[in-house]
Each structure stands twice: as structure tokens, then as C-alpha cells.
Amino acid sequence: MSDSEDSQLEARLAEQEVFEPPESFVEQANVSDPAIYEEFEDDWPACWERAADLLDWETEYDEVLVDDDEPFYEWFTGGELNASANCLDRHLDSRGDELAIQWEGELGETRAYTYEELHREVNEFAAALRDLGVEEDDVVTMYMPMIPELPVAMLACARIGAPHSVVFAGFSADALATRMNSAESEYLVTCDGYYRRGDGLDHLSKANEGLGGVDHETTTVVVDRLGDELEHELGADQIDYDELVADHEGAAVEPVTRDAEDMLFLMYTSGTTGQPKGVKHTTGGYLSYVSWTSHAVLDVKPEDTYWCSADIGWITGHSYIVYGPLALGTTSVMYEGTPDYPDKDRMWDIVESYGVNQLYTAPTAIRAFMKWGSEYPEQHDLSSLRLLGTVGEPINPKAWKWYYKHIGDESCPVVDTWWQTETGGMMITTLPGIGTMKPGTAGPPLPGIDAQVVDTEGAEVEPGEAGYVTVNKPWPGMLRTLYKNDERFLEEYWQEYSDEGEDEWVYFPEDGAKIDDDGYITILGRVDDVINVSGHRLGTMEVESAIVGVEGVAEAAVVGGDHDLKGEAVYAYVILEDGYEESEEMSDRIIEGVEDAIGPIARPEQVIFTPELPKTRSGKIMRRLLEDIANGEELGNTSTLRNPEIVEDIERKVSGD
Ligand code: PRX
């Protein structure tokens, strides 16, 4: 496209505020009748049978929803099923030879698993886990990058009724140890390493370091991803994955019958305190919900090739790379590496090679693609794409429109899906076969989801005013509790807006939002001490405690500042102990301390040394002010501070004057 055509298009798109779903999409959409919103409302909670009907149940459930002990809801009570049987066995007759997973390594090697092949390996590994002593309800931790053995291990656990707890491979050794200790997990599945930008990275040393911090005996299975590239020695309680699977060649493991409410997995996520929260998801409700949303929102059909470019180490990968797509019998693409290796067209090369039909990615990635330029997607035939999705953070209209035009060729609906680790699956988004799209606005709540935007008192705000998202009715994919911590579950999610006396239970996701006249919700971001870096959730407290763990640091305050690519970035304001000097070396040590405690995603963008932090007269750190400083914004009245004189000093440092 010439520069002038490009700018004409930009001008036209810049003005367009609403977009209709393309006719060609609507005609074939899994869900295209607008009556669905009313049907779900009129028939609530029985409407959720539609989600459960997407699964095979060994025993039919007696009740859709049991709410005797709110907010500890139960879904599809009395029902029995197995998640691995739903993702594998039931597809064998009709789709055994079709691809379940199409994997591509960073160096270009590929591995494809048909449903039959995936079923075989999952059975073999399930048999191996049993032989290692894993019993039903034992938590098995996985600390693995994007390699096929990760979904194999997850499904093998599901098969034998052992909940998994996947720890993102980019997290540090400390983070692994904390999570294994918290879950009392005695089993770990990990690997020797993986590729990043063409280099083989050692992962096992990090896993071993983490295991050193686990306070009970463990058994570890190690996948050999790097072969000769990285020689590694296994410890006495470590077993090679390939040997284990070979020893169990041809094994068949009957899927264990699980109650709908039995735990399928745990996923640790960040909250307001330094201690990560173990979000508990169950078998029947979660699997129904991710299958339903994959069907209704991502328009997944068995014959599709579908690609979610998230990492399985986060909830998005659990719900929309593994469980949702495989339950629907589609082909799910997995890519090991970075989107700009060996060049910035890697994603588009993958879309073209496999004929990807749906692409689900993060706004951070889209902003990077935009910066790299449209010449990269233009080198490839992307006409197989039918739907585009985004998740994890707000998407600005400019990035939305770029995605719509340059990737979707103005012929794919874009779904901007708001949800959380805790919600299990999507909650607020347009339905692609029905809803008008408004860039920058996620859309209305999904059918059956009673989300509102309210003020601090819980009253609905006027259109255009800022408020808080609440969810006023339960839904099947919701978390059931925080692992072994019902009290924290109640405190974190149900205290703010519920009225226990009136038996009114309201879920509070801790997000700010606005609503418009059409009921479309625009998410404004977290209102708690959680920041969102490239769609990854970090607790400011976690980062602060990593920083004060560095020798010489007396106090730290961490906030999220705006960032062109990452959405938000970590800004660390640090007070040093007497006798320690501000220096680049000190700053490097702090950054290293954060990387060691959490992982590179939490790396501070800037470390700002200060003799004091701005505090209120009651001694609370003024975080809002620190955020404004990081964003270079005009500061309001600072006279209520105990130490207003410090503000100018800090501002000067941040702006580098
Ligand atoms: O602030 C919201 C933001 O991500 C948070 C949830 O993070 P996590 O549990 O890691 O799950 C991420 C993947 C689902 C939310 O509280 N968020 C998620 N999706 C969107 C979003 N913010 C704006 N728009 C979205 N589409």
C-alpha cells in the first residue's frame, strides 16, 4: 500500500467509531441470534445447561446451580465427568486422525499430534505418574515453557484426577518454591531448557534452585527439550520424561471419574499482598464454561485451526490453548518462541503456514506489531483468518483498528475479551456474530453474566461516569475458593459489595470501568495494588518485598506507570539505608533482586532513589502521586502531604532533569 493510500485509510478508520460484524462471518457463526441475551436472562441459571451440553458426562448432574452456602457456589452438582476424556477420548472415533496440537519450535522444527497420538502419550504419561506415586487429588506442579509435553502433562493429571499447578517458566526459582510449598506439591514436571531468540536457555538449573527452597521431599520429571545443546545431569529423585513414557508404551489408563466440583487445577496469581493466591478451578463448571466461550466467542469449530499466542503458564493458555479448544475437538496451535525471531513476521508466517482461522493475542503484542510496521504482515497471505481476539489489558482504539485492518483485512470481527484468572473464562465482550464493535470498549457482558459498573455504594453509575465492575450473579467458570484459604477468598472478592444480611453476594474483580448508553463496558484498569505489565499481572507488594530484600535497601514503593508498548511498566521508588550510595550498581542489584525473586517480567523500568517517599499525615504512601510522577503528569495539590518538599525532588529525578 502506498503512503497516501495508507494515510487515507488511517484517516477513515480514525473517524469510524463502530464496526459491524462482517456478513460473511455472521452467516457461519456458531452464535448469531441476538435472542440469546434474552433467553439466558429469562432462563437463568438453567441457561447454563447449554454450556454443560457441550461436554460428555458420565453421570448427568442433578442441579445446575446450588447456592445454599453463598458465595461457595456449586455448579452441575451430582454430575460426573473427566476433563481428559472430554478433551481426547470422545474425539477418537470422529477425529482421531485430525490434529489436536500443532506445535512449532522457535528454530522452526514442528511437531504435530493427532487426537489419537495425544491420547496415546497422555495415557502413557498418566500411567507413569501413577507409578511414581501420584494419587487422586495430589497437586502436580509444572514449570515448563511452551512445549507439547506441558499440555500432555496437564491432561495426564486430569486423567488421574490429580490437580495441576502450572508455574510460568519465566518466573524465578523463588516463585516456584513458594508455589510448591503453598500447594504442598510433591511432584514437579519440568524440562532442561528451551529456546529464546535462537539461544538454548538453561531452565533446569532454575528449577533445581527452586526445588532447593521446597520444604518437603519431591520427585521431578525432566523433559529433554534441548538434546545435545545442553547437557544436564539428573539428580537422584529426577527421572527423564522420554524414558518414563517409553517404559509405559501402550499403557491405557481409564479416566478417573471426577465430581463436577472436584478440583481440576490451581493457578497462582498476584493480589494485594505479597503472597500469591492459589485460585481453585473445578472440573464441571470450568470445562463447561471454557468450552462454551470458545464456541460462542472464539467461534471455534472442530475443523478450524485455532491459535492463541498466550503462554500456557497463564490462565489464558489453560482456558484457550488447552481446555476449551481441545474439548471442542479443534486444532490448537502452540508456538514456543518470540514473535520477532528470526524476523518480525514470525507470527504471520505461522498464520500462513497452518492456515490459522482464529488468532487470539494480547494488546501488547499488537502494539509491537504496529510499531514494527504493516510490511511484515503484508509479506504473508492471512486470508485464512476469520476472527481476531484480544485479552489481558485494555486495547487502545488505534491498536484495535490497526489489528482489524492490517491483520483482519477489515473482514474479521475483533473480540476484546475482559476476564481474569479468577473468572476462568471470558465475561465481557461482544459476541462476534451479533454485536456491533466499538474499538477500545470490551462490550456488553456475555449472555447470562450479570456485570455492572457501580459507584462506591454499589449503585449503578450513569453512562460515561467512571465506576467499578461488579458481577452480581455466579457463573459456572468462577473460582470456587483460594486454595486452603476460604477466609481470604471471602475477603478479597466478596467483602466490598456484598450484603450478607440481605444474602446478596456480589463479586468484586477490582477493576475500574465506564459504561455507555448501549451497555458497553470500557475497562479502565485495576483499582487495587496490582499492575498489568504486557498483560501479566503483578502485585506491587511482591515487587516491593523483592526490592527490600536487596542488601542496602530500607524502603520501596512500586507503582505502574504508562508504557507505550507494555501498557504499564514497573517504577520503583527506593530509599537506601545509611551508608549505601545511589549508583548504577545499586540500581542493577535491585533489578537483579526483582528478577531473582519474581522473574524478568517484573523488572523495573526505572529505579528512582529518594531520601523519602511522599506520605500523608497518617503515614500512608501516596501511590497515586508516584504514579502521576512516573507518567509525567501535572500534580494536584500536594499540601496535605507530611513532606511536600520531596515531590519536586523526585519529579526531577524521574524526568532526568
Ligand atoms: O485488569 C483486568 C485485565 O487483566 C486483569 C486480569 O489479569 P489475569 O488474572 O492475569 O488474567 C488475564 C487474562 C484473562 C483484569 O482484572 N484485563 C483482562 N482482560 C482485559 C483486561 N483489561 C482490559 N481489557 C481486557 N480485555
Side-chain angles (χ1 to χ4, degrees):
M1 194 181 300
S2 73
D3 283 356
S4 76
E5 276 173 325
D6 210 18
S7 53
Q8 275 173 20
L9 173 85
E10 293 303 330
R12 175 166 64 74
L13 279 179
E15 282 179 14
Q16 192 171 344
E17 285 178 359
V18 295
F19 294 75
E20 294 305 326
E23 201 50 47
S24 55
F25 182 88
V26 175
E27 277 163 14
Q28 60 77 63
N30 283 343
V31 177
S32 58
D33 183 355
I36 191 168
Y37 287 96
E38 223 173 285
E39 286 164 18
F40 267 61
E41 200 172 330
D42 293 346
D43 202 22
W44 198 94
C47 55
W48 290 114
E49 285 176 17
R50 291 206 208 185
D53 284 350
L54 293 171
L55 303 182
D56 279 2
W57 296 78
E58 285 168 49
T59 312
E60 271 304 311
Y61 48 88
D62 311 312
E63 278 186 81
V64 172
L65 170 66
V66 174
D67 57 2
D68 301 341
D69 183 20
E70 292 174 292
F72 296 95
Y73 298 96
E74 289 183 5
W75 286 90
F76 309 122
T77 321
E80 291 179 324
L81 76 169
N82 180 284
S84 139
N86 268 285
C87 291
L88 300 170
D89 305 48
R90 68 171 175 150
H91 305 312
L92 293 180
D93 281 346
S94 56
R95 305 193 48 78
D97 295 335
E98 305 293 335
L99 292 185
I101 291 178
Q102 171 67 63
W103 178 84
E104 186 165 305
E106 202 187 59
L107 301 187
E109 71 272 51
T110 61
R111 271 159 71 187
Y113 289 70
T114 62
Y115 273 94
E116 177 114 22
E117 288 162 344
L118 188 61
H119 177 261
R120 186 180 319 135
E121 192 159 325
V122 165
N123 270 273
E124 290 166 350
F125 193 54
L129 286 174
R130 270 216 179 128
D131 274 359
L132 292 177
V134 179
E135 290 179 6
E136 202 172 336
D137 294 319
D138 286 347
V139 176
V140 177
T141 302
M142 281 144 214
Y143 186 42
M144 288 161 106
M146 289 287 284
I147 54 175
E149 288 81 359
L150 175 53
V152 168
M154 291 162 75
L155 293 169
C157 282
R159 199 164 189 86
I160 59 174
H164 51 73
S165 163
V166 179
V167 178
F168 174 56
F171 273 143
S172 66
D174 280 0
L176 172 67
T178 313
R179 285 157 179 74
M180 285 187 79
N181 284 329
S182 161
E184 294 166 4
S185 173
E186 294 174 3
Y187 300 91
L188 175 68
V189 187
T190 185
C191 68
D192 59 343
Y194 54 102
Y195 288 100
R196 269 300 171 275
R197 297 188 197 284
D199 294 328
L201 285 192
D202 175 7
H203 185 62
L204 188 58
S205 303
K206 203 165 68 160
N208 283 336
E209 195 188 323
L211 284 168
V214 175
D215 46 29
H216 51 260
E217 301 263 298
T218 54
T219 304
T220 301
V221 178
V222 182
V223 177
D224 185 358
R225 160 75 185 107
L226 295 183
D228 295 339
E229 169 111 18
L230 185 87
E231 290 299 332
H232 61 268
E233 286 209 8
L234 297 185
D237 47 7
Q238 301 191 319
I239 306 126
D240 178 72
Y241 175 93
D242 290 327
E243 277 177 30
L244 265 185
V245 168
D247 285 349
H248 293 84
E249 199 185 330
V253 173
E254 235 349 84
V256 165
T257 302
R258 298 285 277 170
D259 271 0
E261 280 297 311
D262 280 343
M263 172 157 58
L264 178 60
F265 66 86
L266 263 183
M267 169 115 245
Y268 282 90
T269 189
S270 298
T272 28
T273 72
Q275 218 35 28
K277 313 188 266 199
V279 169
K280 174 182 162 181
H281 282 294
T282 56
T283 312
Y286 171 83
L287 199 62
S288 302
Y289 197 68
V290 296
S291 303
W292 165 249
T293 44
S294 298
H295 170 84
V297 182
L298 298 170
D299 201 48
V300 168
K301 302 177 176 40
E303 59 278 14
D304 285 337
T305 297
Y306 155 89
W307 185 21
C308 165
S309 73
D311 192 294
I312 296 177
W314 308 106
I315 192 69
T316 306
H318 279 52
S319 302
Y320 299 113
I321 296 178
V322 182
Y323 286 111
L326 296 184
L328 297 182
T330 197
T331 301
S332 187
V333 173
M334 266 180 85
Y335 171 54
E336 177 186 37
T338 39
D340 55 349
Y341 186 85
D343 208 343
K344 297 187 176 70
D345 67 338
R346 186 61 186 268
M347 300 272 292
W348 320 123
D349 184 57
I350 294 175
V351 169
E352 182 174 10
S353 312
Y354 302 114
V356 169
N357 303 117
Q358 296 96 336
L359 177 66
Y360 190 33
T361 192
T364 290
I366 298 168
R367 287 190 291 266
F369 304 146
M370 221 170 113
K371 188 172 150 223
W372 298 338
S374 55
E375 59 267 35
Y376 293 101
E378 276 161 17
Q379 290 162 18
H380 295 274
D381 176 2
L382 307 181
S383 59
S384 58
L385 287 170
R386 190 172 84 236
L387 173 136
L388 301 174
T390 77
V391 55
E393 32 167 348
I395 180 164
N396 45 316
K398 202 167 167 203
W400 192 103
K401 290 176 184 178
W402 188 92
Y403 193 38
Y404 178 73
K405 165 67 195 151
H406 294 283
I407 308 306
D409 196 23
E410 298 184 73
S411 58
C412 300
V414 177
V415 284
D416 170 0
T417 61
W418 175 87
W419 56 292
Q420 309 181 295
T421 304
E422 292 87 343
T423 68
M426 301 159 181
M427 302 287 281
I428 299 176
T429 170
T430 48
L431 280 169
I434 299 175
T436 302
M437 297 165 274
K438 301 184 189 181
T441 299
L446 281 173
I449 298 299
D450 184 9
Q452 296 183 342
V453 181
V454 302
D455 62 20
T456 43
E457 303 298 315
E460 282 188 73
V461 298
E462 291 296 317
E465 276 176 22
Y468 305 93
V469 182
T470 54
V471 188
N472 299 8
K473 282 196 188 117
W475 65 101
M478 67 196 301
L479 80 164
R480 296 302 192 268
T481 189
L482 292 177
Y483 191 56
K484 297 197 173 162
N485 205 341
D486 289 348
E487 210 172 302
R488 190 166 173 204
F489 168 70
L490 293 170
E491 265 168 32
E492 296 251 359
Y493 306 107
W494 302 97
Q495 215 169 43
E496 204 76 25
Y497 285 105
S498 300
D499 185 342
E500 215 179 322
E502 293 289 317
D503 221 14
E504 275 173 17
W505 292 91
V506 177
Y507 173 82
F508 182 44
E510 308 252 15
D511 267 336
K514 293 189 301 197
I515 190 159
D516 71 8
D517 287 320
D518 300 323
Y520 276 47
I521 295 175
T522 299
I523 303 294
L524 300 171
R526 302 284 303 194
V527 294
D528 57 0
D529 295 331
V530 167
I531 53 184
N532 192 332
V533 180
S534 306
H536 300 149
R537 193 164 144 177
L538 290 172
T540 50
M541 283 272 287
E542 283 171 273
V543 186
E544 284 165 9
S545 65
I547 295 176
V548 294
V550 174
E551 195 195 312
V553 173
E555 200 180 338
V558 163
V559 297
D562 296 341
H563 191 276
D564 284 352
L565 286 180
K566 300 178 190 172
E568 277 189 292
V570 172
Y571 282 80
Y573 297 87
V574 176
I575 303 179
L576 295 177
E577 282 172 1
D578 284 350
Y580 286 85
E581 297 274 320
E582 296 177 16
S583 64
E584 205 159 312
E585 193 215 327
M586 194 65 210
S587 173
D588 288 348
R589 282 212 286 123
I590 288 169
I591 291 171
E592 212 176 288
V594 173
E595 291 195 347
D596 284 350
I598 303 169
I601 51 162
R603 191 187 161 90
E605 186 73 18
Q606 204 176 340
V607 175
I608 305 118
F609 295 108
T610 174
E612 276 176 53
L613 291 165
K615 288 191 177 162
T616 59
R617 290 189 204 281
S618 60
K620 271 185 84 174
I621 297 172
M622 283 281 280
R623 285 170 186 283
R624 196 52 58 215
L625 195 68
L626 293 174
E627 269 169 40
D628 289 346
I629 296 175
N631 294 335
E633 273 167 25
E634 203 54 38
L635 305 183
N637 184 357
T638 54
S639 61
T640 52
L641 289 178
R642 178 193 286 175
N643 51 354
E645 65 288 349
I646 198 68
V647 174
E648 222 171 278
D649 208 39
I650 301 179
E651 261 187 309
R652 244 195 327 271
K653 282 198 170 146
V654 174
S655 62
D657 294 346

